């Protein structure tokens, strides 16, 4: 039971990381500022703060998020530099690419792992080989 739960959390963590990494990478490439990259929700457990982004692991490992500059539609900007890095002030095609990048990365992970799993193989019990 414990091994199954730990395995579930580890696999879920990998899926979440790849998904959020897609959003993060395309946001950075699109010139959007990223304030937080979190694996998990709730209170921060550990992390590293760089000049612009706070990379963190949070308490509840059932999701994750990328908080971008200007991600809230009611957000006010102090200076023009923040406004230039804002998600809502980017062209629609960049916003669409950022939003679609998470699911796309999960699809790419599946397309990468599926052939690998078929090459490695899965053990089949002997009784299934008999008619």
């Amino acid at each position: 039971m414990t091994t199954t739960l730990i395995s579930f959390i580890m696999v879920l963590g990998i899926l979440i990381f790849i998904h959020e990494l897609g959003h993060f990478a395309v946001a950075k490439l699109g010139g959007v500022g990223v304030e937080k990259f979190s694996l998990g929700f709730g209170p921060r457990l550990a992390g590293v703060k760089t000049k612009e982004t706070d990379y963190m692991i949070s308490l509840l490992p059932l999701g994750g998020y990328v908080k971008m500059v200007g991600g809230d539609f009611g957000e006010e900007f102090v200076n023009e530099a923040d406004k230039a890095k804002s998600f809502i002030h980017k062209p629609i095609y960049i916003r669409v690419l950022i939003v679609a990048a998470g699911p796309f990365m999960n699809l790419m992970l599946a397309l990468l792992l599926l052939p690998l799993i078929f090459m490695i193989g899965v053990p089949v019990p002997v009784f299934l080989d008999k008619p």
Side-chain angles (χ1 to χ4, degrees):
M1 172 80 174
T2 306
T3 306
T4 304
L5 182 63
I6 291 170
S7 299
F8 171 75
I9 290 173
M10 288 179 64
V11 169
L12 188 63
I14 292 168
L15 290 173
I16 292 166
F17 176 75
I18 295 296
H19 180 92
E20 297 304 331
L21 184 64
H23 294 305
F24 175 80
V26 175
K28 287 289 198 178
L29 288 172
V32 176
V34 178
E35 295 174 2
K36 292 181 183 178
F37 180 95
S38 176
L39 292 177
F41 299 114
R44 174 191 173 124
L45 294 178
V48 175
K49 174 92 167 126
T50 63
K51 187 171 81 170
E52 182 183 58
T53 307
D54 186 11
Y55 302 92
M56 56 191 202
I57 297 174
S58 298
L59 181 63
L60 301 172
L62 298 174
Y65 64 95
V66 174
K67 183 174 184 334
M68 293 173 248
V69 174
D72 300 326
F73 286 99
E75 196 171 324
E76 304 256 343
F77 298 100
V78 177
N79 55 35
E80 287 299 314
D82 283 346
K83 192 173 180 179
K85 295 189 300 184
S86 168
F87 176 76
I88 59 174
H89 289 94
K90 292 294 178 186
I92 189 74
Y93 74 92
I94 291 178
R95 289 184 278 165
V96 168
L97 287 173
I98 292 170
V99 171
F104 179 76
M105 287 292 284
N106 286 128
L107 181 62
M108 290 298 104
L109 178 65
L111 291 176
L112 175 78
L113 290 180
L114 195 61
L116 185 67
I117 290 168
F118 277 115
M119 286 190 305
I120 293 170
V122 178
V124 177
V126 176
F127 71 87
L128 290 178
D129 284 339
K130 296 180 181 178

